[in-house]
Amino acid sequence: MPSDTRILIVDDHEDTLYALESALAPLGYQLGRATSGDEALKQVLRGQVGLLLLDVRMPGVSGLEVVRYMRRVEQTQHIPVILLTGFGADHELTTTAFRLGVADLVLKPVDPWALRTKVRYLYDAHRRHLALEREVRRLRALTGEHTETAAHPRPGLPHPDARVPTQRPMGAHAGELEKDRT
């Protein structure tokens, strides 16, 4: 994950944004802020967001609508989201949030220590996940160069396991092979 990746804090109340920024500042991560669901979506789609702290109830686009949209877009569907609510525990909200793949649902006012612990874990896990994906892509690119020769085995050499049938050359169909035999 690039070093300019940040944690995006989204709430329609300035005092809540300030409190959340103050709670997360000791972690040393880059923080961003948005005051609406629309603004949050724009920032997330621009990239460089590694975790989203998102208020559930906001005017316009709600936090749940932001998550629904993010989960439909490939580039944003794996960004961890912590939903924040000041309206108490609600079974329907909890069920909906977790069905959408939200990492956690936190009640306001938040416990700064607990929030820092959750954020550190989720943000670092997401960074490790992205680093592994980059490594897999790099290794696939390296092995892709060598698989071209492996896809065309030398004729006359049987597979080490005698139970494996002889492979047809790539692109050959059964009819083409029959013509070659005659």
Side-chain angles (χ1 to χ4, degrees):
M1 185 178 307
S3 60
D4 60 345
T5 301
R6 66 191 184 287
I7 296 168
L8 183 61
I9 304 169
V10 186
D11 199 292
D12 56 323
H13 292 51
E14 281 291 325
D15 56 337
T16 303
L17 285 171
Y18 178 76
L20 292 169
E21 287 171 335
S22 297
L24 297 177
L27 294 176
Y29 299 135
Q30 239 184 337
L31 303 175
R33 60 168 38 202
T35 56
S36 70
D38 285 330
E39 187 181 345
L41 278 172
K42 288 175 187 173
Q43 288 191 43
V44 167
L45 290 171
R46 279 189 220 123
Q48 280 86 36
V49 173
L51 177 88
L52 194 62
L53 278 161
L54 182 63
D55 187 23
V56 173
R57 292 189 175 104
M58 293 181 290
V61 178
S62 74
L64 287 174
E65 290 171 312
V66 170
V67 176
R68 279 189 190 99
Y69 185 81
M70 287 175 60
R71 296 307 183 231
R72 290 191 308 252
V73 178
E74 185 177 349
Q75 76 187 52
T76 62
Q77 62 188 219
H78 297 294
I79 296 173
V81 176
I82 297 175
L83 280 180
L84 305 167
T85 183
F87 292 97
D90 174 351
H91 178 71
E92 185 178 330
L93 170 63
T94 303
T95 302
T96 302
F98 288 119
R99 280 190 182 142
L100 288 171
V102 168
D104 203 357
L105 180 64
V106 175
L107 300 177
K108 296 178 194 175
V110 290
D111 173 4
W113 184 86
L115 183 64
R116 280 192 295 269
T117 302
K118 291 173 186 191
V119 164
R120 182 184 305 118
Y121 173 79
L122 290 168
Y123 186 72
D124 290 347
H126 185 64
R127 287 175 40 183
R128 285 190 303 273
H129 173 78
L130 291 178
L132 283 172
E133 281 183 346
R134 282 193 305 275
E135 183 66 10
V136 166
R137 282 193 301 272
R138 186 186 70 78
L139 290 172
R140 283 185 178 150
L142 286 173
T143 58
E145 297 168 4
H146 303 292
T147 54
E148 291 175 13
T149 57
H152 302 288
R154 288 180 274 169
L157 293 177
H159 191 279
D161 185 347
R163 295 172 294 186
V164 175
T166 308
Q167 293 181 352
R168 290 186 235 158
M170 291 201 57
H173 299 289
E176 292 172 350
L177 290 176
E178 293 300 320
K179 284 189 250 177
D180 290 344
R181 289 187 198 166
T182 57

